[in-house]
Amino acid sequence: MSDALVTPALITAAQNGDRDAIEAVLKDAEPVITRLAAQAASHYQRQGAADRDQLENDGRVAAWMAIGRFDAERAGEDVADSFRGYIYKTVARSMQDSLRGQRFDGCAGADDDAIKVFGRMVDQADGDLYLAEQMCRHVPPAGRRLDKDRARAARMAWQGRTSLDRPVGDDGATLAESLAESLGVPEDMITADDISREGSRVRVATVRAVLDSMGARQADVLRHDYGIGVDEIGTTAELAEVLGVTPRIVSKARDHAKSTFEAKFIRVHTSTPEEAQAWRDSAAKKREDDARASARR
């Protein structure tokens, strides 16, 4: 925008509905609109070209709406500069929303809250987006969990939101603050029992999320081995009959499933390399103990 064209008097006239002033503001904003639309369309062309004409139209509508929303009284001394910045941010935000709508048409539910929940789960899943999708359905406290459709939409939106610059992830809250929010009690009333119960709930939820993120056969074998949401089945032959496969396939799936589950669970349930290694060592010792016990039988 040009300093010579955009003046406080022009802004006031446009906000009062003067058609010539509105047209002057929109004409001055046009280079910003076309530049942002071109940049956005170019950035996303590798992942399915965005509709540049639609982006420009969305930008023009956003600029027009921004005229009435701009608060000159809060802008400080340089009203014109603040107005230009407000127009720019409003147009850019509108194009971000338009891009998400174009690229994820049919993914209803990819709202900001869902994406923020997904972002926190991505951190815990160490970047595994498909595991994070399942964790969104189980791990957050009640009221923050996503249903299947919102979790999928959030994952798809996240995969394409590299340039959307939305704040996501943890906000630096302490464990007590997070618990206070999820349990609905004041922070100073959080007890050791509350923390223990929450930790247990998260572990159980993580187990379910990890299983949901695995291949169907491997997950089914582990669920039946340990009675997680299904009847526990004691022998390989019985499980093979239930699943309609051979005992050899069950045994092979079980071996692969245990390795996959261990790696995923450790990744999302530990916070330092040392803690992760301690879990691996413990798991390895458990396997050795089980092997010795089996050999004795």
Side-chain angles (χ1 to χ4, degrees), residues 3 8 28 54 70 143 184 207 278 289 294:
D3 288 340
D28 205 60
Q54 181 63 51
F70 177 70
V207 167
D289 293 343
S294 179

Side-chain angles (χ1 to χ4, degrees), residues 99-115:
L99 277 171
R100 187 171 66 185
Q102 289 181 37
R103 300 190 68 247
F104 308 114
D105 185 30
C107 296
D111 53 272
D112 286 345
D113 284 343
I115 292 174

Side-chain angles (χ1 to χ4, degrees), residues 77-91:
E77 295 182 0
D78 195 345
V79 175
D81 188 58
S82 296
F83 181 73
R84 290 195 301 273
Y86 185 73
I87 290 284
Y88 183 94
K89 291 178 181 178
T90 302
V91 169

